[in-house]
Amino acid sequence: MAQNLAATARTGRDNQRYGAQGERLVAGVVPLSNDKTKVLLIQSTRRGGWVLPKGGWETDEGTAQEAACREAWEEAGIVCTVSKDLGTIPEMRPPGELTPKAPKAAYQFYEVRVDREAPEWPEKDKRGRQWMSYQQAKQALAARPELLEALNRSSVTK
């Protein structure tokens, strides 16, 4: 699937899709190295630490896969190809961690092959990116059980 590589990232939630229970529909990727020994994580802008590229599936995007690849470009500066559907992961955060800026969500993740890492990308000034081993990524994602579940569903070498 050809990706639209916009120079700027989308912002706001005016075009956000929501599920039947009012949950925000989020699409994300688990970017793996070609030999599947490393996963690419990005810095979180809200919480600090490291996360997987993900974001809202918007109403003008036909599929969650399209949204996931857009988020991978905006947040991590990667052009990618989906290699595996990792399924939907329900919200796992305790109710006390849910806020208006971080509401209940349902996560649709895809394992992707990284075709290209661009030197410039829309959120470069807000986020770093780093390749990590499974063990490093597992530790970095320990506070985010939904992201750790996506990592564990992937075919990264464990």
Side-chain angles (χ1 to χ4, degrees):
M1 169 176 58
Q3 281 180 250
N4 176 13
L5 304 181
T8 58
R10 295 180 180 199
T11 59
R13 296 208 173 132
D14 293 341
N15 296 320
Q16 173 65 56
R17 289 180 189 250
Y18 292 90
Q21 277 79 49
E23 71 279 18
R24 183 170 172 246
L25 300 181
V26 173
V29 298
V30 179
L32 299 184
S33 59
N34 286 336
D35 64 2
K36 298 187 180 186
T37 63
K38 302 278 185 190
V39 59
L40 186 68
L41 297 187
I42 58 169
Q43 289 177 306
S44 169
T45 60
R46 284 202 184 98
R47 302 166 55 122
W50 297 93
V51 295
L52 293 166
K54 61 174 178 34
W57 176 13
E58 298 191 356
T59 55
D60 66 337
E61 294 169 312
T63 64
Q65 182 174 317
E66 182 181 344
C69 290
R70 173 185 51 79
E71 290 291 343
W73 166 250
E74 290 178 359
E75 295 184 348
I78 58 172
V79 177
C80 59
T81 302
V82 171
S83 54
K84 182 178 179 185
D85 184 336
L86 299 175
T88 301
I89 299 169
E91 182 63 69
M92 295 179 176
R93 291 175 292 166
E97 288 185 22
L98 302 177
T99 68
K101 288 199 173 216
K104 181 178 178 180
Y107 302 86
Q108 176 66 50
F109 271 95
Y110 299 92
E111 180 178 308
V112 297
R113 180 187 73 236
V114 176
D115 300 321
R116 181 169 64 93
E117 284 182 71
E120 300 291 328
W121 67 94
E123 296 188 10
K124 180 182 179 182
D125 293 338
K126 298 193 317 192
R127 300 177 187 274
R129 62 186 178 197
Q130 184 174 326
W131 287 101
M132 297 184 188
S133 68
Y134 170 76
Q135 288 301 327
Q136 291 168 319
K138 179 180 170 184
Q139 185 174 14
L141 299 174
R144 297 294 302 272
E146 71 284 358
L147 304 184
L148 186 55
E149 176 65 19
L151 176 68
N152 285 331
R153 289 183 185 186
S154 79
S155 54
V156 66
T157 302
K158 296 173 178 73

